[in-house]
Amino acid sequence: MTSIERPPGDARPGPYRILHEAELRDYLAGLPDVADTLGGAPESWSISEVGDGNLNLVFIVKGTVGGMAVKQALPYVRLVGESWPLPLSRAHYEYLALTTHARLAPRLVPQILYHDEALALTAMELLSPHIIMRRGLIAGTIYPRFVEDITTFMARMLFFTSDLAITAAEKKEGVAAFAGNHALCKITEDLIFTDPYREAEQNRWTSPWLDRTAAAFREDMEAHVAISRLKLKFMSQPEALIHGDLHTGSIMVTESETRVIDPEFAFYGPMAFDIGAIIANLVMAYLASPGHERTSGDRRVFQAWLVETIEKVWTEFERKFLELWRTEARGDAYPTSLFVGSAGALHLEAERQRNMDQLFRDTVGFAAAKIIRRILGLAHNIDFEWIEDTRLRAVCEARSLRLARAMLTDAKSFTNIAAVTKMAREVNDWRPDFAA
Ligand code: SR1
Ligand code: MG
């Protein structure tokens, strides 16, 4: 598919309005290139709203020739309703991030077909037969291509938008371009780094089983210090353009393809936040998997694949990022003129390793924060929510919280990714006192 231009002289953008099915049909029919891509008469197009995320409308539109996904931002948080307004500008930042991703990793994001700034609407390539990865993981599906693709995506996105790859001026332009996305950052600052650790109206957890654990997190000063340090990093470290919400619901997959979607939380932040998000969501898929067994032990092969995947997400990311740093470093950080000769090379390589060690520690901490928020905060994961037996769900969640608390408060003791998977395997055998 080729990119579709707005017709010359087109009166749109008009004022923002929420497009329901009928209005969307008329709107798309008025875009000749879009209409051609779909094919057939507009009345024959099938349009269904399929959005299952927390914020937006998502329509699948199919014509006689082709299809597309159309995403429109609502002026409020869909999950909560109109009482929680949210700027439409997030669609602009998502578009900006998607175009950056398309430039740096074209195979790994959906192609943009059309963007309407005023309607906060973007039409994208219809990904088919791809499904949301989280759903595939709940079904116990193995994705052999995932590690290769997600580590390429993260290494390239994070490296090529960092001071290691671009000039200070380019980097600061990038920071400025995304600085207005602060309402989305604020959601993260509140829902991930603050609310799960205090009384907050919107918090919820699997009660009564986790009541004591939730209360313990609210009293846990060690956890409060650790999460606050991470919050400060999130707020004050514009290392690279991060996706900002890189969980398994933001990834569409087949067994041979991976596409990263939904970067509306994108801004220049700490790299470890994205890497931690991927690791956290794989860890949750692993620890939720006993809740999705049909017969005891039927997820063993899948679990082994997940453990290996968690480990490789870090090791392959680290390998690829270091490779880019060694071969593509044209940024203003670590000037080559300061690292000449064999002594320079030696010290620079040691610095690369020191940076990766720090990145790993931060990744462990952010991963923990992402797990805790999904169990004690507002927005939960279907990995756990779809476990119908609430006691069993709480067992899976309690194990996840046990691991996450250790990762949050003692990130340094996880000296490598194998230490994370080792403890994940151990907690998976742990039985909380309320277990049946
Ligand atoms: C109110 S929005 C809740 C969550 O949905 C998004 O996917 C982000 O993770 C956000 O924190
Ligand atoms: Mg999303």
Side-chain angles (χ1 to χ4, degrees):
M1 270 192 244
T2 53
S3 180
I4 294 165
E5 298 297 325
R6 179 183 286 282
D10 186 341
R12 281 169 296 257
Y16 175 84
R17 62 205 185 277
I18 295 171
L19 296 184
H20 300 289
E21 187 193 313
E23 293 109 351
L24 182 63
R25 189 185 303 278
D26 290 347
Y27 173 79
L28 296 176
L31 302 170
D33 287 349
V34 168
D36 285 353
T37 301
L38 291 167
E43 309 79 63
S44 71
W45 297 343
S46 74
I47 303 185
S48 43
E49 208 283 306
V50 297
D52 64 355
N54 296 323
L55 301 180
N56 308 295
L57 294 173
V58 180
F59 296 91
I60 300 294
V61 186
K62 287 184 182 160
T64 53
V65 176
M68 59 187 63
V70 179
K71 178 171 178 178
Q72 186 180 35
L74 290 166
Y76 53 84
V77 173
R78 180 178 185 160
L79 176 68
V80 175
E82 292 179 46
S83 60
W84 187 344
L86 197 60
L88 297 170
S89 59
R90 65 186 188 276
H92 163 81
Y93 297 108
E94 174 165 2
Y95 174 67
L96 211 58
L98 274 169
T99 51
T100 307
H101 295 169
R103 178 169 56 80
L104 295 174
R107 272 190 323 100
L108 300 176
V109 289
Q111 196 188 347
I112 301 288
L113 303 176
Y114 191 79
H115 176 69
D116 187 320
E117 197 75 12
L119 281 179
L121 174 149
T122 306
M124 281 164 271
E125 171 190 8
L126 181 61
L127 296 172
S128 174
H130 306 65
I131 62 165
I132 292 288
M133 185 177 186
R134 192 186 300 290
R135 290 170 179 263
L137 294 178
I138 290 169
T141 311
I142 285 172
Y143 293 102
R145 181 79 205 167
F146 175 69
V147 166
E148 170 65 16
D149 286 345
I150 201 67
T151 55
T152 296
F153 177 83
M154 292 195 296
R156 292 184 61 80
M157 272 339 101
L158 299 177
F159 179 80
F160 283 112
T161 59
S162 79
D163 289 293
L164 298 170
I166 56 179
T167 66
E170 287 167 333
K171 167 77 184 320
K172 286 174 178 61
E173 293 291 339
V175 173
F178 282 88
N181 206 15
H182 46 75
L184 279 279
C185 292
K186 178 81 166 86
I187 289 180
T188 301
E189 288 150 17
D190 291 343
L191 295 191
I192 297 181
F193 296 111
T194 313
D195 286 354
Y197 306 87
R198 66 177 178 186
E199 299 268 5
E201 206 186 317
Q202 300 183 112
N203 283 347
R204 62 189 181 85
W205 53 84
T206 308
S207 186
W209 319 110
L210 296 185
D211 289 356
R212 275 187 295 129
T213 311
F217 270 89
R218 293 196 296 271
E219 301 295 317
D220 186 340
M221 271 311 136
E222 228 186 312
H224 294 195
V225 167
I227 197 69
S228 299
R229 287 182 185 164
L230 290 170
K231 182 175 182 176
L232 182 61
K233 274 183 201 283
F234 179 82
M235 297 173 80
S236 62
Q237 286 192 4
E239 291 175 339
L241 177 61
I242 65 170
H243 178 286
D245 199 22
L246 195 49
H247 52 77
T248 47
S250 296
I251 300 170
M252 296 194 71
V253 281
T254 64
E255 287 179 18
S256 57
E257 288 190 0
T258 310
R259 297 282 188 278
V260 176
I261 62 171
D262 276 2
E264 66 205 309
F265 284 77
F267 81 115
Y268 277 73
M271 300 185 192
F273 188 74
D274 274 0
I275 315 162
I278 292 289
I279 288 176
N281 279 270
L282 295 171
V283 166
M284 285 188 277
Y286 173 75
L287 292 172
S289 64
H292 300 295
E293 284 177 345
R294 289 205 189 89
T295 55
S296 176
D298 70 1
R299 293 283 168 115
R300 260 189 218 124
V301 173
F302 173 69
Q303 288 176 343
W305 171 77
L306 269 175
V307 165
E308 189 191 340
T309 299
I310 293 164
E311 292 174 357
K312 283 190 172 162
V313 162
W314 172 259
T315 55
E316 278 300 283
F317 166 80
E318 181 183 44
R319 186 183 68 73
K320 290 178 184 179
F321 190 92
L322 282 171
E323 186 60 19
L324 288 171
W325 192 347
R326 290 182 193 118
T327 57
E328 307 271 351
R330 297 188 185 86
D332 287 339
Y334 288 95
T336 46
S337 52
L338 297 191
F339 294 95
V340 288
S342 53
L346 215 61
H347 282 82
L348 185 53
E349 189 54 28
E351 270 303 286
R352 291 189 187 109
Q353 201 49 61
R354 194 198 58 79
N355 270 277
M356 298 314 288
D357 291 347
Q358 181 61 49
L359 188 59
F360 179 70
R361 267 198 298 282
D362 292 346
T363 296
V364 170
F366 282 123
K370 300 285 264 185
I371 294 172
I372 294 164
R373 67 77 58 109
R374 293 292 185 195
I375 300 172
L376 301 180
L378 165 70
H380 286 219
N381 276 354
I382 55 174
D383 310 52
F384 295 123
E385 297 294 288
W386 282 7
I387 302 171
E388 277 172 25
D389 175 342
T390 53
R391 190 200 292 253
L392 177 56
R393 182 195 308 162
V395 168
C396 297
E397 291 174 327
R399 289 169 176 164
S400 306
L401 289 173
R402 190 178 177 90
L403 170 64
R405 188 193 178 275
M407 290 165 67
L408 177 66
T409 58
D410 198 12
K412 275 201 184 111
S413 73
F414 293 86
T415 49
N416 54 38
I417 191 67
V420 174
T421 52
K422 178 169 180 284
M423 184 163 179
R425 284 198 302 265
E426 285 163 6
V427 297
N428 210 22
D429 289 331
W430 171 65
R431 294 176 66 75
D433 56 12
F434 59 80

